[in-house]
Amino acid sequence: MSPPPIPRPYRLRTLTQAPPRLGDHTLACVVHAAAITADEDPRRIHVPLPVLSGPAVELWETDSAVHCGHEGRIAYAQGAAILFAQLRVDGSAMRDPRRATAAAYAELTAFFARRRGWHWVRSWNYIGDIHRNAERGNGDEERYRQFVLGRHDVLSAEPGFEARLPAATAIGTGGDALLVYVLGARQPGLQIENPRQVSAFRYPRQYGPRSPSFSRARRLDWANGADLIVSGTASVVGHETAHPGDAERQLRETLENLRQLRRDAGADTWGAASTKLFVRDAAIWASVQPTVRSLLPATELCVLEGEICRADLALEIEVLLQR
Ligand code: 3EB
């Protein structure tokens, strides 16, 4: 597929504080550690995770006019070539997490179906109390596994869906709501899997009744470069957690997974436009901080405290690479 004849249609900046007013060309203002308030600009995306280090705010801007609106429970902001859409499910609806997730994903799928030529390329899933009910029965009642089921119920309805899966992050938060926000583009991008890892959509039964529906990365090509949108990446080798209980070695394994992806995505000439490190707790951040600083010296890093979807994973890293 030839690259679309347009240059990269956005700029991404990080800030320590959210601007009080968003300009006409702002597509999204992602605020971590935010108190959630009602009656907001649809472009403000509030992620309820404590920030342990680095800038809390991501500002996505574009040169074209931005159209904002609401459709059902979705709040969105659409530029000429990329868009953001967010949907929040409150805690009471999350009493049945499979149903609530399926309903949310069905709304998002319908949102894209109404937009000819647009593709869902990336999702962020913030799941309240992600390990609730993990101790019941065989573990399949766990909120995360039920979320995975509900997502699969919807995304698997399309034939060939495993070749068109969005990149994704899924992280636990306080509270019991679900926040899903997504990036859409006027191109599907290229799906990239990681040969060091079993594709998540092929994980075996032991991790839940359905496999997680996400790709390891998607590459978008622009007239003046490319983006590599990398999913939350952890210390998973094959399908198993490598180095349970050892955050330092999990960090090194995670960086190996990321190195493999960037090599396979064309060349090793990528630079990081955004790097987020999710850690299960502040003690893990303290323990890996020296290694992070020595292995990623020049990287502007946002460190967030949240549960990783497997309880034996201490950390996870997501990146947006550009070249
Ligand atoms: C893994 O590699 C770690 O269910 O959407 C990472 C990113 C993980 C996204 C998801 C799960 C998800 O399996 C877990």
Side-chain angles (χ1 to χ4, degrees):
M1 191 179 59
S2 57
I6 59 157
R8 177 179 291 113
Y10 71 90
R11 271 165 293 119
L12 175 57
R13 289 196 285 145
T14 55
L15 301 168
T16 52
Q17 277 200 317
R21 300 187 64 112
L22 302 183
D24 291 344
H25 289 175
T26 300
L27 264 176
C29 177
V30 182
V31 187
H32 302 95
I36 296 152
T37 50
D39 185 29
E40 281 273 15
D41 189 313
R43 299 171 296 175
R44 290 190 197 267
I45 300 172
H46 286 168
V47 177
L49 289 181
V51 179
L52 300 179
S53 174
V57 178
E58 244 179 26
L59 205 61
W60 296 70
E61 293 169 311
T62 179
D63 289 329
S64 60
V66 173
H67 167 75
C68 296
H70 292 85
E71 290 180 9
R73 293 182 293 168
I74 294 173
Y76 70 92
Q78 183 170 334
I82 66 166
L83 65 77
F84 278 87
Q86 63 171 316
L87 194 163
R88 180 175 293 278
V89 178
D90 69 26
S92 56
M94 280 292 281
R95 272 197 284 270
D96 183 343
R98 177 186 186 171
R99 254 179 73 143
T101 302
Y105 267 71
E107 269 198 50
L108 286 160
T109 300
F111 175 87
F112 281 98
R114 289 191 292 272
R115 285 168 174 73
R116 223 170 229 294
W118 285 86
H119 301 267
W120 180 346
V121 296
R122 217 271 185 232
S123 321
W124 287 266
N125 303 284
Y126 290 104
I127 305 166
D129 204 3
I130 191 166
H131 298 313
R132 187 188 297 172
N133 297 333
E135 71 293 340
R136 282 204 204 162
N138 65 354
D140 287 349
E141 298 295 311
E142 184 194 32
R143 271 184 154 218
Y144 174 64
R145 292 187 177 192
Q146 292 293 310
F147 159 86
V148 166
L149 256 176
R151 175 173 60 180
H152 185 275
D153 288 341
V154 172
L155 296 185
S156 66
E158 208 195 311
F161 77 105
E162 288 167 337
R164 283 189 294 276
L165 286 170
T169 292
I171 293 289
T173 68
D176 46 17
L178 168 69
L179 168 67
V180 183
Y181 73 93
V182 309
L183 176 66
R186 294 288 291 263
Q187 56 173 306
L190 183 71
Q191 182 159 329
I192 296 175
E193 295 296 319
N194 192 331
R196 302 184 84 241
Q197 302 183 293
V198 172
S199 289
F201 53 85
R202 303 223 186 285
Y203 280 175
R205 174 67 180 88
Q206 70 200 78
Y207 303 102
R210 288 290 181 271
S211 308
S213 310
F214 70 96
S215 61
R216 295 298 179 190
R218 296 202 84 81
R219 194 186 77 203
L220 303 184
D221 288 326
W222 309 112
N224 59 345
D227 292 351
L228 186 61
I229 304 172
V230 181
S231 289
T233 302
S235 179
V236 172
V237 179
H239 57 75
E240 289 178 326
T241 299
H243 324 299
D246 188 336
E248 169 87 21
R249 291 174 73 194
Q250 286 196 16
L251 171 66
R252 292 175 186 274
E253 200 70 62
T254 300
L255 294 174
E256 271 314 309
N257 282 334
L258 292 170
R259 258 191 287 277
Q260 180 77 48
L261 271 175
R262 50 199 291 161
R263 271 198 301 269
D264 291 356
D268 207 5
T269 54
W270 299 100
S274 160
T275 308
K276 291 181 209 167
L277 167 65
F278 300 93
V279 292
R280 206 170 59 216
D281 56 45
I284 288 171
W285 168 231
S287 76
V288 299
Q289 187 168 2
T291 309
V292 168
R293 296 299 182 207
S294 73
L295 295 180
L296 305 172
T299 310
E300 190 185 62
L301 183 68
C302 176
V303 182
L304 299 161
E305 183 179 359
E307 289 283 340
I308 320 300
C309 55
R310 287 185 196 177
D312 57 6
L313 289 171
L315 54 85
E316 181 173 304
I317 297 177
E318 68 165 58
V319 284
L320 173 61
L321 303 175
Q322 297 178 337
R323 70 162 188 237

